[in-house]
DNA sequence: CACATCTATGCACACGTTAACAATAGTCTT
DNA sequence: AAGACTATTGTTAACGTGTGCATAGATGTG
């Protein structure tokens, strides 16, 4: 059917071994022989059979890109940036295989033979199981976005606690004292980190947050909307609301305007993530930017380094987040 | 290193052929032998080597999912929904390999050996080259999202012309006569279709659109913003603006509010795509919903059908779009 | 009982590639 | 000029799996 090195060999009047060596640019083969063979291969439109290569070289040329879930809870922008980041560094060398971890009923099929390396974009503590499995199989991996306990695993993430601290501090510095919190999805590490940064800022500036000023959330528009509706029913309403991501912040702003009030004049809002639309809503959302694309690029680069140099660098890289000040927070003068 | 069928054979006291047949549930093997072998395989934690299988069976177990570009112009939500749709139907049977078409410097490596089938999510006429290449290699394929000329290719898309017609007609039915258009990215088929639907509605209701009421766009927030700024400088401003996607509509709304004006009271806006945030901006955006996830699911299903039944069904499936009425269009009373 | 038929299993090879080792011819060294 | 060395190419086996054909035993048939 398709052209093999044996076909080329026949035409070139050499052995298939010579063809193999020539095409792999082995120093054993004479330069002019190589050139002759390359030309013939080109003419015959030869493409190597990667299954055969994989079998003998024990490399799959596959790079896994695993997300906690593909069906819910992952924001589209996050997903997109992560794929872009990884894709930008792998070039032609690997095939990028995208999976949702929750699609696996068993990790049985995840082996050294099927993946040269795996990028786990982890958003939940539950991912620990697959991370351990990958580690136990000895497959090179890098875990992005979430701090990971397993030692000896590459780990690249942004300092979300610091980002949340920045944003919460900013609210206080703008004169706010009655500050409410809409939390992230339970079980997601980011939810915990962002909350921690918020709490640290409150402690640092000695602000107390009453229980009524805390609402759970699911990282989606709906739950932000609901939470803000709750806050608005309170006798003593908060003057500012810290939302653990931008989508909930949008939902919250929606609730404010539905109640005939205005952001930021009646109530201030900050988000987290700097999603692509944050700059374009009205008012433009003040938020915290995570360098996701950079995270996934740095992670993929280090992973490829480990794969190709057969080393086992293990490092935790913490990239800085950045507060993006826009229009959704009002300066409160006493 | 890892367990092979020969290891199992040794332990079971049979030939590796028997093991192979047993694990593939061949009718040639006695039921109790099968069961015995299955148990041993389980205990030894056997996983088949897919490179070896691929080599002999001439199947890669790979499904390509190709986007026009991963680096620009593709909206995150679109991307996300497409992957979700395809992923939901492939289960464990295939690996999903995501690629940007513009990452290829040569299509040379795209062969029957490396892909059992390919889903091309096409957003540009330029994709015709890769579609033809895939067809010429005899690889089963389905083209989503864009009508394709090549005959004998599965094709699933939404009727965007009809969607645009719906939205534009809605503006007119709400009493608007001075209607402007912000076009989509040049070269993208969707840009053409949406414009066509818009024009048909104008003709149908005998509305003329002056040249100053037409602005080019790039499908991003920036260009929508710019275009609307232009419209606002006109002496006779349009009362409604049809934006060829939601992101540009957001940019446009931003420009309106920056000018101290209000949507929909001063100017009405419609978008296209029903992106996830359309419902949550202020005012909520009236737009057209494309069933992307359904498109990619239906497309993937038909593709798998063709692969697994070795048939070559060729069909064009046109899925209906839907107008989602929200708050960004005002009822104009004469 | 002789023969045909059926059932369950094994043998040997194939898939396309790489690599250890062998072979050949030419060159250098002393 | 013989031996050692080098440069280039070929021979053969190996990777793990599936399959056509052969085989051995069991069963049926007249």
């Amino acid at each position: 059917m398709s052209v093999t090195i044996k076909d080329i060999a026949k035409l070139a009047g050499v052995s298939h071994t010579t063809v193999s060596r020539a095409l792999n640019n082995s120093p054993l083969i004479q330069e002019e022989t190589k050139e002759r063979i390359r030309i013939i291969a080109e003419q015959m439109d030869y493409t190597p059979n990667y299954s055969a290569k994989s079998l003998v070289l024990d490399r799959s040329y596959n790079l896994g890109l695993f997300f906690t879930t593909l069906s819910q809870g992952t924001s589209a922008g996050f997903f997109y940036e992560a794929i872009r980041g990884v894709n930008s560094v792998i070039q032609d060398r690997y095939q990028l295989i995208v999976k949702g971890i929750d699609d696996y009923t068993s990790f049985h099929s995840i082996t050294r033979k099927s993946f040269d390396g795996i990028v786990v974009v982890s958003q939940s503590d539950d991912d620990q199981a697959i991370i351990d499995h990958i580690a136990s199989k000895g497959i090179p991996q890098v875990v992005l976005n979430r701090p990971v306990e397993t030692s000896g695993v590459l780990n690249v993430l942004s300092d979300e606690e610091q980002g949340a601290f920045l944003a919460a501090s900013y609210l206080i510095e703008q004169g706010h004292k009655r500050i409410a919190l809409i939390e992230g999805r339970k079980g997601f590490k980011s939810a915990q980190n962002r909350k921690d940064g918020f709490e640290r800022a409150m402690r640092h500036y000695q602000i107390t947050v009453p229980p009524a000023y805390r609402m759970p959330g699911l990282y989606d528009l709906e739950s932000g909307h609901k939470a803000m509706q709750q806050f608005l029913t309170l006798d003593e309403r908060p003057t500012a609301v810290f939302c653990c991501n931008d989508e909930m912040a949008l939902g919250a702003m929606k609730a404010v305007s539905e109640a005939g009030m205005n952001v930021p004049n009646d109530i201030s809002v900050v988000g987290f993530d700097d999603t692509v639309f944050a700059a374009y809503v009205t008012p433009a959302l003040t938020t915290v930017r995570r360098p996701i694309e950079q995270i996934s690029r740095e992670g993929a680069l280090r992973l490829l380094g480990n794969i190709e140099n057969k080393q086992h660098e293990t490092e935790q890289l913490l990239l800085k987040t950045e507060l993006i000040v826009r229009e959704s927070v009002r300066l409160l003068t006493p």
Side-chain angles (χ1 to χ4, degrees), chain A:
Chain A
M1 184 68 58
S2 41
V3 183
T4 73
I5 53 172
K6 293 188 182 171
D7 299 324
I8 300 176
K10 212 172 291 173
L11 224 79
V14 296
S15 78
H16 73 275
T17 308
T18 301
V19 175
S20 170
R21 292 200 179 108
L23 296 178
N24 288 314
N25 199 22
S26 153
L28 291 178
I29 305 294
Q30 211 176 357
E31 199 51 54
E32 55 181 36
T33 314
K34 281 188 195 172
E35 196 48 31
R36 195 160 53 88
I37 291 176
R38 281 198 202 106
I39 291 173
I40 297 180
E42 174 86 14
Q43 284 172 347
M44 298 181 80
D45 193 30
Y46 166 78
T47 324
N49 183 321
Y50 273 85
S51 302
K53 276 176 100 102
S54 295
L55 183 56
V56 57
L57 292 180
D58 205 24
R59 296 190 41 197
S60 62
Y61 300 96
N62 287 339
L63 208 70
L65 179 55
F66 293 1
F67 291 86
T68 298
T69 169
L70 289 187
S71 31
Q72 50 177 335
T74 300
S75 96
F78 179 84
F79 186 69
Y80 180 51
E81 284 198 57
I83 293 189
R84 261 175 44 164
V86 175
N87 184 68
S88 71
V89 309
I90 60 168
Q91 307 289 7
D92 284 351
R93 295 180 295 177
Y94 294 93
Q95 311 245 47
L96 190 60
I97 297 186
V98 176
K99 291 259 189 212
I101 295 174
D102 58 350
D103 286 337
Y104 278 110
T105 54
S106 146
F107 300 147
H108 188 245
S109 63
I110 304 174
T111 68
R112 284 193 80 120
K113 308 280 182 188
S114 45
F115 294 101
D116 288 347
I118 296 177
V119 178
V120 179
V121 186
S122 177
Q123 302 170 89
S124 162
D125 284 345
D126 297 344
D127 298 335
Q128 196 57 43
I130 200 171
I131 293 170
D132 290 342
H133 173 87
I134 295 170
S136 78
K137 291 278 182 176
I139 308 171
Q141 80 175 310
V142 56
V143 178
L144 305 184
N145 191 56
R146 194 183 66 97
V148 67
E149 294 86 13
T150 322
S151 67
V153 169
L154 269 175
N155 194 195
V156 183
L157 58 151
S158 59
D159 192 344
E160 307 202 348
E161 199 270 352
Q162 171 242 7
F165 179 82
L166 279 179
S169 301
Y170 174 71
L171 289 177
I172 298 167
E173 285 156 7
Q174 297 297 301
H176 292 272
K177 291 198 170 61
R178 302 209 305 271
I179 303 176
L181 170 71
I182 304 177
E183 300 184 13
R185 183 179 266 257
K186 224 173 151 174
F188 280 38
K189 194 75 184 182
S190 64
Q192 187 61 48
N193 286 337
R194 294 169 191 196
K195 186 180 174 185
D196 288 348
F198 174 85
E199 305 287 9
R200 179 158 66 90
M202 297 303 129
R203 280 197 311 276
H204 184 261
Y205 289 94
Q206 297 178 322
I207 305 251
T208 54
V209 180
Y213 278 15
R214 298 167 188 279
M215 286 288 290
L218 296 170
Y219 275 155
D220 62 355
L221 293 148
E222 205 60 39
S223 57
H225 188 254
K226 245 196 201 144
M228 180 59 97
Q229 285 180 328
Q230 273 300 315
F231 292 147
L232 295 181
T233 65
L234 297 176
D235 286 342
E236 194 171 47
R237 285 197 297 266
T239 63
V241 177
F242 177 98
C243 307
C244 278
N245 78 348
D246 285 355
E247 287 204 40
M248 295 195 300
L250 274 192
M253 283 166 55
K254 181 80 176 167
V256 172
S257 86
E258 279 172 2
M261 301 173 68
N262 176 275
V263 176
N265 293 332
D266 297 309
I267 194 160
S268 295
V269 170
V270 295
F272 205 113
D273 284 347
D274 192 28
T275 14
V276 60
F277 50 83
Y280 287 87
V281 295
T282 307
L285 187 63
T286 292
T287 185
V288 177
R289 167 152 179 72
R290 287 187 298 165
I292 307 211
E293 195 167 335
Q294 193 194 349
I295 288 175
S296 54
R297 204 166 356 161
E298 293 292 340
L301 273 174
R302 281 169 173 67
L303 178 63
L304 292 193
N306 270 0
I307 294 174
E308 290 172 1
N309 307 322
K310 310 228 172 190
Q311 57 193 12
H312 192 62
E313 289 274 333
T314 143
E315 178 188 6
Q316 192 181 64
L317 188 65
L318 216 56
L319 300 179
K320 284 250 168 299
T321 52
E322 184 187 359
L323 179 69
I324 310 285
V325 174
R326 297 207 179 92
E327 309 163 355
S328 61
V329 175
R330 175 184 166 196
L331 175 64
L332 262 197
T333 41

